[in-house]
Amino acid sequence: MNSFGIKFRVSIFGESHGPSVGVVIDGCPAGIHISQEDFIEAISRRRGGTKKGTTPRVEADMPEILSGICNGVATGFPITIMTRNCNTVSSDYETFKDIPRPGHADFVALKKFSGYADMRGGGHFSGRVTYGLVVAGVVAKKIVGEGIKVSTDILSVGGRADIEKAVEEAVEAGDSLGGLVECRVTGVPVGLGEPFFYSVESAISQIVFSVPATKGIEFGSGFAAAGMRGSGHNDPIVDGSGTTLTNNAGGINGGITNGNEIIFRVAIKPASSISMAQKSFNMATQKVESFKVEGRHDACIALRIPVVLESATYIALADLMLLDS
Amino acid sequence: MNSFGIKFRVSIFGESHGPSVGVVIDGCPAGIHISQEDFIEAISRRRGGTKKGTTPRVEADMPEILSGICNGVATGFPITIMTRNCNTVSSDYETFKDIPRPGHADFVALKKFSGYADMRGGGHFSGRVTYGLVVAGVVAKKIVGEGIKVSTDILSVGGRADIEKAVEEAVEAGDSLGGLVECRVTGVPVGLGEPFFYSVESAISQIVFSVPATKGIEFGSGFAAAGMRGSGHNDPIVDGSGTTLTNNAGGINGGITNGNEIIFRVAIKPASSISMAQKSFNMATQKVESFKVEGRHDACIALRIPVVLESATYIALADLMLLDS
Amino acid sequence: MNSFGIKFRVSIFGESHGPSVGVVIDGCPAGIHISQEDFIEAISRRRGGTKKGTTPRVEADMPEILSGICNGVATGFPITIMTRNCNTVSSDYETFKDIPRPGHADFVALKKFSGYADMRGGGHFSGRVTYGLVVAGVVAKKIVGEGIKVSTDILSVGGRADIEKAVEEAVEAGDSLGGLVECRVTGVPVGLGEPFFYSVESAISQIVFSVPATKGIEFGSGFAAAGMRGSGHNDPIVDGSGTTLTNNAGGINGGITNGNEIIFRVAIKPASSISMAQKSFNMATQKVESFKVEGRHDACIALRIPVVLESATYIALADLMLLDS
Amino acid sequence: MNSFGIKFRVSIFGESHGPSVGVVIDGCPAGIHISQEDFIEAISRRRGGTKKGTTPRVEADMPEILSGICNGVATGFPITIMTRNCNTVSSDYETFKDIPRPGHADFVALKKFSGYADMRGGGHFSGRVTYGLVVAGVVAKKIVGEGIKVSTDILSVGGRADIEKAVEEAVEAGDSLGGLVECRVTGVPVGLGEPFFYSVESAISQIVFSVPATKGIEFGSGFAAAGMRGSGHNDPIVDGSGTTLTNNAGGINGGITNGNEIIFRVAIKPASSISMAQKSFNMATQKVESFKVEGRHDACIALRIPVVLESATYIALADLMLLDS
């Protein structure tokens, strides 16, 4: 299913090595100012390529507006934005048609789509497709307004806080690293979230788990809550606006925002593409074989993913806000 | 939003102290055998009351079939099942109208529903509402068939593996405990899950976070993946049916089942209702005040939640299976 | 699919001879006053039984509130309302298991639901199921507010304007009659309707064609427009609030309300149940056979359907209004 | 709302004078052969321009595939197809910013989108946007398979059967004409359609009323049914496969296909754009004024709409078929 949202609906499309990646956004209120420049920073953050551990592949990724924006203003009609794929070297991947790469969607795509899926570069499962999410996130950010701010921190990569050094070592080893990212949302009004199945956590987790490489999500105290007692976990309310002394709730009670900061953490797995030799089952020879994936890889997806998680969060918040209005 | 699912749609209703709790199930294929007895075990597990740490409140909870089942067989029409609420002592709760209880949805409900929400016993935010989920889970289990089996383990409560003892101590202290629950699904076919926004993780996490008290979810290696390297995380495929040597993926690649066991863990917070004295802001006096919640409480929701998580998982799987057919 | 609506979601359930018929309503704003008495008039109009040509079957049909309303006020939680079926004489219908009745859903239900559908009295296809629609319509009417008023007129039955006489003759002949009903909505604000697929006409026609026996719908000039010229069809705008001199548009331009009266007409077929002898194919004997349907029948559904159409219209309007807010 | 469908989801985008029009199609099964040539015939029929009474504007309208198709085969991923708008002379329309044209969406768009809607050429309300529908219809036709065939007949224009002559006269008068179009679907399997709100009639009418200029729809006997008796309306079943002697049902009972031909008729209003002088309210001068719309217009939309109605029908059928599988 390529669509997310009830009132602010985002429909992504594209494959890694197909003609384009992009998004159709339905439900953006008319009158919001959106220009091509608004997208540059987020797209540039998603692209990475300047930090160690992100792929050095240069992607222009300039957004092309196909509908819904006129003279820099949202018209109220569906907004379509895409970018052309280029600089893709497909021969890198074609040798591995018979050997489904471990950790990748090669095997499941082969089975689910009867071999018809265009899996060059990961196809529609590629992180490349998050381009549409990031673009939609820019629009969503405009909708939620300046008072609400989503920010992210990379807490660790490969379990280490000396992040640059950890990445350097992984790159040298031809290996990759997982990472832990924290998201915080400030300025949240009380009352966002729809009980039962569209709680704030339900909405955010649904969209966050759409982001390739996500392995876990926890809100507020998260997994630590499993080891706590209620007397320590309950957040005492200290004023009439609902401010709490502690924030184990992560800003959410009963699936509804309580006005305190929303906090959640996301576990990102190490990129499945590594330069080291690996083993997998060769469907042609029917044997387990050793193989290597040539080409340039992200050593650490977690470095590029913060803007994607921020975008996903803005999208979920925009939908929840429009639903609550 | 009270509905979950695309082809197998579950719409829950009810409040803790209202007339009833229940569910409408749309999209159940005709011909599936369902009798009142099929529900007894799951309802009884949800009810708890026999183990230490679960509420001693006796609830008959017998399911009443209002539509969609005739002579023990699903007709193809919407199935409605409910049970009457009884044995509710509302006076327990009425004294706290002015003092929103920490950890509960009292404050957010007050704001979101302008004071009109019937919050006796937690209202629609109560764990009581999971009755509908559990009932729908029984139907979903029939749809997914006997080959697929969802099971759960309580890994720890309050951070301890000596679970009974931990609960005993908490009960004595008038306190509550969080818990960690693991879900495993065996017999899963390859190919369930719809990219992008209805990945297996997106679907399961959406419904699991609807369950009150859930604070986190992780699939396969989960948060540990953040500290791993790709060479160690990638699961080598060892045969043509996609069996992997390790299962860091938790049975899911690219959001699609790969035929190996689905594994995920859920963090459950300690129940917000405790017998100990707590502090909160009194909206009437405009002061922080100390108060105690009388009545019977679950010391450890995690003890009763496994059947709810299993039900939620069956529901998500039933929808994904029907979508994939 | 038993659900209609995006923000105001109505999920109906029940069968003619099952335990109950009813509805779950999600998305009703908290604070709206709704008491059991509010439903009486609409339910009584739906029931009919006092006019010639409607079934004399006495149905109490008192609404039972199962959730979502507390002390006569909507709580913001899902509202569930049902009524028990009673006074059903199933033996009337059981003799026709092998002979699918012409005009009824017997044959298609047999095929689609592999014979498991409970088709006594028409099952889920019965007009009985419109009970849920009518109940939801009462809630929807409260949401749209007193300024907006939906009314209906039976323009003709059996092609005649002397309606009572036409019905009398049909009853005597053991036959049934179709009818033409006009709906008008006054007090409509400008701007309801979502382009493209949730235009006012799309929303209204989707729900109206759910009503059993509907054969056609036309807005404003309707089918007459096919024979008109643009110079005669275009409605000149005569003031700044959009008032038009004529109303060929039926109050809708581009799928959006223009502030003028919404007008549409609905064609209702003659009831398929008649007392006269009919022919159909006997699945058991594999021959075309003559048969008669005993029991009491509506001679003219069109007499009872106005309140159903009004309810359907209120539901569509409530959803469109909440979406536009 | 720019999306239609549950399992086969079509999301249209674009405006008349914006950069492009197009569609994203989600849920197309992998392996279906689709090449650029497959679209030519339908696009060419939609474009018209060769018959009298259709706009002489030349539009290349060649489809550009942006995603989801690789080497002429559907990959299972979202399919995006668009075409650039060109040859648009916006100055034709800019003079009428203050005067909402009768019959057009100018006034409602002004109000609903606070003046931000790009209404040049009708914007997103333009028939131009049906390009996406027609393209999606080609894909849908492949899904439903060769056994099912949708065809259309223009029964009359301006109320006359001598269609060419009627159009000629209207063109000379600078006026436009409505028309009546009949759709027939042969080869339909028994059992398509989901009770209650996604009956065949509900699904088809929802999408057909999305098509600009549609004023009415009737199935089988349609509005004539209002004047009939049950004894004449009921279609006797004459064999075990459900063949009926007559087809007043239009191939649908209880909202479900019965295996006979689906028949429905659609009323198309005369184009709102005419060359004759008209009157409307000038928002700037606050007076009713006379004005003329320069530019080239369709004298009779009904001539170009058959392929759009066929496409809409194929889309609805594809979704119903995939849901029923």
Side-chain angles (χ1 to χ4, degrees):
Chain A
M1 198 178 58
N2 77 328
S3 292
F4 176 86
I6 296 171
K7 216 173 151 184
F8 180 72
R9 283 173 301 277
V10 164
S11 302
I12 53 97
F13 62 82
E15 307 93 31
S16 182
H17 287 205
S20 74
V21 288
V23 67
V24 181
I25 301 161
D26 195 34
C28 176
I32 290 189
H33 287 258
I34 306 168
S35 68
Q36 221 190 19
E37 285 98 77
D38 289 325
F39 299 99
I40 304 299
E41 189 201 336
I43 288 172
S44 165
R45 285 179 65 198
R46 198 203 74 85
R47 192 169 62 229
T50 53
K51 290 195 214 152
K52 274 239 159 186
T54 61
T55 174
R57 186 167 45 200
V58 176
E59 300 165 296
D61 285 358
M62 282 299 291
E64 187 179 346
I65 295 168
L66 291 181
S67 73
I69 296 174
C70 187
N71 299 325
V73 179
T75 58
F77 302 149
I79 297 172
T80 308
I81 297 171
M82 64 113 177
T83 200
R84 303 278 172 184
N85 290 324
C86 52
N87 193 20
T88 53
V89 189
S90 292
S91 59
D92 287 10
Y93 302 87
E94 300 225 325
T95 36
F96 299 102
K97 271 200 166 158
D98 293 330
I99 306 187
R101 291 166 297 163
H104 279 282
D106 297 359
F107 176 76
V108 299
L110 180 73
K111 297 294 179 185
K112 187 172 182 78
F113 301 114
S114 314
Y116 294 110
D118 170 19
M119 289 299 288
R120 294 172 298 154
H124 188 59
F125 296 97
S126 165
R128 177 78 183 141
V129 177
T130 60
Y131 181 87
L133 268 196
V134 167
V135 163
V138 170
V139 176
K141 188 179 179 176
K142 297 260 181 172
I143 292 170
V144 301
E146 303 218 334
I148 297 181
K149 194 158 171 45
V150 181
S151 62
T152 45
D153 273 306
I154 301 173
L155 301 183
S156 64
V157 300
R160 292 161 56 173
D162 57 337
I163 292 173
E164 277 196 45
K165 190 121 191 301
V167 171
E168 217 167 275
E169 289 175 22
V171 169
E172 273 162 40
D175 213 339
S176 64
L177 289 176
L180 185 61
V181 181
E182 185 171 83
C183 284
R184 286 168 179 272
V185 190
T186 56
V188 189
V190 181
L192 302 186
E194 299 301 319
F196 193 84
F197 293 113
Y198 213 53
S199 67
V200 177
E201 298 104 322
S202 288
I204 290 180
S205 69
Q206 186 195 351
I207 193 167
V208 162
F209 273 116
S210 302
V211 178
T214 303
K215 296 299 295 179
I217 189 168
E218 59 175 9
F219 291 83
S221 56
F223 277 86
M228 292 174 76
R229 286 192 164 198
S231 54
H233 192 272
N234 284 351
D235 303 311
I237 300 170
V238 296
D239 65 25
S241 65
T243 309
T244 56
L245 205 58
T246 50
N247 191 6
N248 289 308
I252 304 163
N253 290 124
I256 314 289
T257 57
N258 65 20
N260 293 276
E261 206 177 28
I262 298 178
I263 305 174
F264 63 93
R265 280 167 299 281
V266 179
I268 305 298
K269 74 170 184 179
S272 301
S273 290
I274 55 176
S275 302
M276 297 166 71
Q278 298 183 79
K279 290 196 171 177
S280 187
F281 191 79
N282 187 321
M283 296 289 175
T285 64
Q286 290 283 304
K287 281 188 207 157
V288 172
E289 289 180 10
S290 187
F291 72 101
K292 284 183 80 168
V293 182
E294 306 293 333
R296 300 140 308 175
H297 309 300
D298 271 333
C300 185
I301 311 169
L303 300 186
R304 285 168 70 184
I305 224 155
V307 66
V308 179
L309 295 178
E310 290 173 27
S311 301
T313 307
Y314 277 121
I315 291 168
L317 290 172
D319 194 36
L320 293 170
M321 283 182 72
L322 291 174
L323 280 171
D324 193 56
S325 68
Chain B
M1 198 178 56
N2 77 329
S3 292
F4 175 86
I6 296 172
K7 215 173 150 183
F8 180 72
R9 284 174 300 278
V10 164
S11 302
I12 52 97
F13 61 83
E15 307 93 31
S16 183
H17 287 206
S20 74
V21 288
V23 66
V24 182
I25 301 161
D26 194 35
C28 176
I32 289 188
H33 287 258
I34 306 168
S35 67
Q36 220 190 20
E37 285 98 79
D38 289 325
F39 299 99
I40 304 298
E41 190 201 334
I43 287 171
S44 165
R45 284 178 66 198
R46 197 203 74 85
R47 192 168 62 228
T50 53
K51 290 194 215 152
K52 274 240 156 182
T54 60
T55 173
R57 185 166 46 200
V58 176
E59 300 165 295
D61 286 357
M62 281 300 289
E64 187 179 347
I65 295 168
L66 290 181
S67 72
I69 295 174
C70 186
N71 299 324
V73 180
T75 59
F77 302 149
I79 296 171
T80 308
I81 297 170
M82 64 113 178
T83 199
R84 303 280 171 183
N85 290 324
C86 51
N87 193 23
T88 53
V89 189
S90 292
S91 59
D92 287 10
Y93 302 88
E94 300 224 326
T95 35
F96 300 102
K97 271 199 168 159
D98 293 330
I99 307 187
R101 292 167 296 163
H104 278 282
D106 297 358
F107 177 75
V108 299
L110 180 73
K111 297 295 179 184
K112 186 173 183 76
F113 301 114
S114 314
Y116 294 110
D118 170 20
M119 290 299 288
R120 294 172 297 154
H124 188 59
F125 296 97
S126 165
R128 177 79 184 142
V129 178
T130 61
Y131 181 87
L133 268 196
V134 167
V135 163
V138 170
V139 176
K141 186 178 180 177
K142 297 259 181 173
I143 293 170
V144 301
E146 302 217 336
I148 296 181
K149 192 156 174 46
V150 180
S151 62
T152 45
D153 273 306
I154 301 173
L155 301 184
S156 64
V157 301
R160 293 162 56 173
D162 56 336
I163 293 173
E164 277 195 43
K165 190 123 193 298
V167 170
E168 218 166 274
E169 289 175 24
V171 169
E172 273 161 40
D175 213 339
S176 64
L177 289 176
L180 184 62
V181 181
E182 184 170 84
C183 283
R184 288 169 177 271
V185 190
T186 56
V188 189
V190 181
L192 302 186
E194 301 300 320
F196 194 82
F197 292 113
Y198 213 54
S199 68
V200 177
E201 298 103 323
S202 288
I204 290 179
S205 68
Q206 186 195 349
I207 193 167
V208 163
F209 273 116
S210 302
V211 178
T214 304
K215 297 298 295 180
I217 190 169
E218 59 175 9
F219 291 84
S221 55
F223 277 86
M228 293 174 76
R229 287 191 163 200
S231 54
H233 192 272
N234 284 351
D235 302 311
I237 300 170
V238 296
D239 65 25
S241 65
T243 308
T244 56
L245 205 59
T246 50
N247 191 6
N248 289 308
I252 305 163
N253 290 124
I256 314 288
T257 56
N258 64 18
N260 293 276
E261 206 176 29
I262 298 177
I263 304 173
F264 63 93
R265 279 167 300 281
V266 178
I268 304 298
K269 74 171 184 181
S272 301
S273 290
I274 54 176
S275 302
M276 297 166 72
Q278 297 184 78
K279 290 197 170 175
S280 187
F281 190 79
N282 188 321
M283 296 290 173
T285 64
Q286 290 283 306
K287 282 188 207 157
V288 172
E289 289 179 11
S290 187
F291 72 100
K292 283 182 80 168
V293 183
E294 306 293 334
R296 300 139 310 171
H297 309 300
D298 271 333
C300 185
I301 310 170
L303 301 185
R304 284 168 69 184
I305 225 156
V307 66
V308 180
L309 295 178
E310 290 174 26
S311 301
T313 307
Y314 277 121
I315 292 168
L317 290 172
D319 193 36
L320 293 169
M321 283 183 72
L322 291 173
L323 280 172
D324 194 56
S325 69
Chain C
M1 199 178 59
N2 77 327
S3 293
F4 176 86
I6 296 172
K7 216 174 151 184
F8 181 73
R9 283 174 300 279
V10 164
S11 302
I12 53 97
F13 61 84
E15 306 93 31
S16 182
H17 287 206
S20 73
V21 289
V23 68
V24 182
I25 302 161
D26 195 34
C28 177
I32 290 189
H33 287 258
I34 307 168
S35 68
Q36 220 190 20
E37 285 97 78
D38 289 324
F39 300 99
I40 305 299
E41 188 200 337
I43 288 172
S44 164
R45 284 178 65 200
R46 197 204 74 84
R47 191 168 63 228
T50 52
K51 291 193 216 152
K52 271 238 160 187
T54 60
T55 173
R57 184 166 47 199
V58 175
E59 300 164 297
D61 286 356
M62 282 300 289
E64 186 179 347
I65 294 168
L66 291 181
S67 74
I69 296 174
C70 187
N71 299 325
V73 180
T75 58
F77 302 149
I79 297 172
T80 308
I81 297 170
M82 64 114 179
T83 199
R84 304 280 171 182
N85 290 323
C86 52
N87 193 23
T88 54
V89 188
S90 293
S91 59
D92 287 9
Y93 302 88
E94 300 223 326
T95 34
F96 300 101
K97 271 199 168 159
D98 293 330
I99 306 187
R101 291 166 297 163
H104 279 282
D106 298 358
F107 176 75
V108 299
L110 180 73
K111 296 294 179 186
K112 186 173 183 77
F113 301 113
S114 313
Y116 294 110
D118 170 20
M119 290 299 288
R120 293 173 297 155
H124 188 60
F125 297 97
S126 165
R128 177 77 183 143
V129 178
T130 60
Y131 180 87
L133 268 196
V134 167
V135 164
V138 171
V139 176
K141 186 178 181 177
K142 296 263 182 169
I143 292 170
V144 302
E146 302 218 334
I148 297 181
K149 195 158 170 47
V150 181
S151 61
T152 45
D153 272 306
I154 301 172
L155 301 183
S156 64
V157 301
R160 293 162 55 173
D162 56 336
I163 294 174
E164 277 195 45
K165 190 123 193 300
V167 171
E168 214 165 279
E169 289 174 24
V171 169
E172 271 161 42
D175 212 340
S176 64
L177 289 175
L180 184 62
V181 181
E182 184 171 84
C183 284
R184 289 168 177 270
V185 191
T186 56
V188 189
V190 180
L192 301 186
E194 301 299 320
F196 195 82
F197 293 113
Y198 212 55
S199 68
V200 177
E201 297 103 323
S202 289
I204 289 179
S205 68
Q206 185 195 351
I207 194 166
V208 163
F209 273 116
S210 302
V211 178
T214 304
K215 296 299 292 179
I217 190 167
E218 60 175 8
F219 292 83
S221 56
F223 277 86
M228 293 174 75
R229 288 192 164 198
S231 54
H233 192 272
N234 284 350
D235 303 311
I237 300 169
V238 295
D239 64 26
S241 64
T243 309
T244 57
L245 206 57
T246 50
N247 191 7
N248 289 309
I252 305 163
N253 289 124
I256 315 288
T257 56
N258 65 18
N260 293 276
E261 205 176 30
I262 298 177
I263 304 173
F264 63 93
R265 280 167 299 281
V266 178
I268 305 298
K269 73 172 185 179
S272 302
S273 290
I274 55 176
S275 303
M276 297 166 73
Q278 296 182 80
K279 289 196 171 178
S280 187
F281 191 79
N282 186 322
M283 296 290 172
T285 64
Q286 291 282 306
K287 282 187 206 160
V288 171
E289 291 181 8
S290 187
F291 72 101
K292 284 183 81 167
V293 183
E294 306 293 333
R296 302 139 308 173
H297 309 300
D298 270 334
C300 185
I301 310 170
L303 300 186
R304 284 169 68 183
I305 225 156
V307 66
V308 180
L309 296 178
E310 290 174 27
S311 301
T313 306
Y314 277 121
I315 291 168
L317 289 172
D319 194 36
L320 292 169
M321 283 183 72
L322 291 174
L323 280 171
D324 194 55
S325 68
Chain D
M1 198 179 58
N2 77 327
S3 293
F4 175 86
I6 296 172
K7 216 173 151 183
F8 181 71
R9 283 173 301 277
V10 164
S11 302
I12 53 96
F13 61 84
E15 306 92 32
S16 182
H17 288 205
S20 74
V21 289
V23 68
V24 181
I25 302 161
D26 195 35
C28 176
I32 290 188
H33 288 258
I34 306 167
S35 67
Q36 219 189 23
E37 286 97 79
D38 288 326
F39 299 98
I40 304 300
E41 189 200 336
I43 288 172
S44 164
R45 285 178 66 200
R46 197 203 74 84
R47 192 168 62 229
T50 54
K51 291 195 214 151
K52 272 235 162 194
T54 60
T55 174
R57 185 168 44 200
V58 175
E59 300 164 294
D61 285 356
M62 280 301 289
E64 187 179 349
I65 294 167
L66 291 181
S67 73
I69 296 173
C70 187
N71 298 325
V73 180
T75 58
F77 302 149
I79 297 171
T80 308
I81 297 170
M82 63 114 179
T83 199
R84 304 278 171 184
N85 290 324
C86 52
N87 192 24
T88 53
V89 188
S90 293
S91 59
D92 287 10
Y93 302 88
E94 300 225 326
T95 35
F96 299 102
K97 271 201 168 160
D98 293 330
I99 306 187
R101 292 165 298 162
H104 279 281
D106 298 359
F107 176 76
V108 298
L110 179 74
K111 296 294 179 185
K112 187 173 182 76
F113 301 114
S114 313
Y116 294 109
D118 170 21
M119 290 299 288
R120 293 171 299 154
H124 187 60
F125 297 96
S126 165
R128 176 79 183 140
V129 177
T130 61
Y131 180 87
L133 266 197
V134 167
V135 163
V138 170
V139 175
K141 187 179 180 177
K142 296 261 181 171
I143 292 170
V144 302
E146 302 216 335
I148 297 181
K149 197 160 170 43
V150 181
S151 62
T152 44
D153 273 306
I154 301 173
L155 301 183
S156 64
V157 301
R160 291 161 56 173
D162 57 336
I163 293 174
E164 278 194 44
K165 191 126 191 301
V167 172
E168 217 167 277
E169 289 175 23
V171 169
E172 272 162 41
D175 213 339
S176 64
L177 289 176
L180 184 62
V181 181
E182 184 171 85
C183 284
R184 287 168 177 270
V185 190
T186 55
V188 189
V190 180
L192 301 187
E194 301 299 320
F196 195 83
F197 293 113
Y198 212 56
S199 68
V200 176
E201 297 103 325
S202 289
I204 289 180
S205 69
Q206 186 195 350
I207 194 166
V208 162
F209 274 115
S210 302
V211 178
T214 303
K215 297 300 293 179
I217 190 167
E218 60 175 9
F219 291 84
S221 56
F223 277 86
M228 293 174 75
R229 287 193 165 197
S231 54
H233 191 272
N234 284 350
D235 303 310
I237 300 170
V238 295
D239 64 26
S241 64
T243 309
T244 57
L245 206 58
T246 50
N247 190 7
N248 289 308
I252 304 163
N253 289 124
I256 315 288
T257 56
N258 65 18
N260 293 277
E261 207 176 27
I262 298 177
I263 305 173
F264 63 93
R265 280 166 300 281
V266 178
I268 305 298
K269 74 171 184 179
S272 301
S273 290
I274 55 176
S275 302
M276 297 165 72
Q278 296 183 78
K279 290 198 169 173
S280 188
F281 191 79
N282 188 321
M283 297 290 173
T285 64
Q286 291 282 307
K287 281 187 206 157
V288 172
E289 290 179 10
S290 188
F291 71 101
K292 283 182 81 168
V293 183
E294 306 293 334
R296 301 139 309 174
H297 309 300
D298 270 334
C300 185
I301 310 170
L303 300 186
R304 284 168 70 183
I305 225 156
V307 67
V308 179
L309 295 178
E310 290 174 26
S311 300
T313 306
Y314 277 121
I315 291 168
L317 289 172
D319 194 35
L320 292 170
M321 283 183 72
L322 291 174
L323 280 172
D324 193 56
S325 68

